[in-house]
Amino acid sequence: MPRTQSALLEAMAERQVTVDGVTRHLPSPFLVIASENPIDQEGTFPLPEAQLDRFAMRVRLGYPREDEEISIVVAQRHGHPIDHIEPVVSADELRALQRAVEDVYVDELILRWTVQLVRATREVEGWRSAPPCAGASRSSAVRGPGLS
């Protein structure tokens, strides 16, 4: 496995990175976003099943509509928009939101349904079986919108 993939997995699982034998703890908050480019796989290796469960979710964005793609081209005419991104919350505010999400009420019925859904993946032939941590991950993901 390439060192980059190994470092990302270490960051996700242990909230630290090790470079040249020196381990550094990551700041809080820290977010790992990984992308997959199915067109150019050179130098990448598919993650083993046991490592895929470290990702809380998988999002497929697809391609933009034609009018959206034109907007992208126009927006990048004089530089890349990422050069002008400004924070919308501070690190302290984000940590406070993360703590607040932990206290959002989720009814036992929803918790039970979530666990049943995760367990059902283990019974369908040809599906990747979701590990027990998938239920906890789903539960965390659905509490966020409950803050609004």
Side-chain angles (χ1 to χ4, degrees), residues 4 28 35 47 51 57 84-85 89 110 112 129 138 143:
T4 302
S28 173
S35 64
L47 291 175
Q51 294 171 344
M57 61 184 65
H84 307 288
I85 292 177
V89 295
I110 301 298
R112 187 170 302 283
S129 298
R138 298 290 85 69
R143 287 194 310 259

Side-chain angles (χ1 to χ4, degrees), residues 82-119:
I82 201 164
D83 297 332
H84 307 288
I85 292 177
E86 296 290 329
V88 294
V89 295
S90 70
D92 287 338
E93 291 170 320
L94 183 54
R95 281 189 289 272
L97 286 168
Q98 287 174 324
R99 286 189 301 273
V101 165
E102 294 172 357
D103 294 328
V104 171
Y105 172 76
V106 178
D107 191 81
E108 184 180 341
L109 180 68
I110 301 298
L111 293 175
R112 187 170 302 283
W113 179 82
T114 302
V115 169
Q116 289 171 351
L117 181 65
V118 168
R119 292 175 63 83

Side-chain angles (χ1 to χ4, degrees), residues 12 40 42 53 61 81 121 123 129 138:
M12 293 166 64
D40 183 12
E42 187 174 329
D53 69 355
L61 300 177
T121 66
E123 298 169 10
S129 298
R138 298 290 85 69

Side-chain angles (χ1 to χ4, degrees), residues 7 10-11 14-27 30:
E10 179 185 8
E14 302 170 35
R15 299 179 189 258
Q16 67 182 25
V17 291
T18 304
V19 179
D20 295 330
V22 178
T23 300
R24 293 178 175 83
H25 293 279
L26 296 170
F30 188 84

Side-chain angles (χ1 to χ4, degrees), residues 72-86:
I72 292 168
V73 171
V74 169
Q76 294 187 29
R77 188 178 319 175
H78 300 291
H80 200 283
I82 201 164
D83 297 332
H84 307 288
I85 292 177
E86 296 290 329

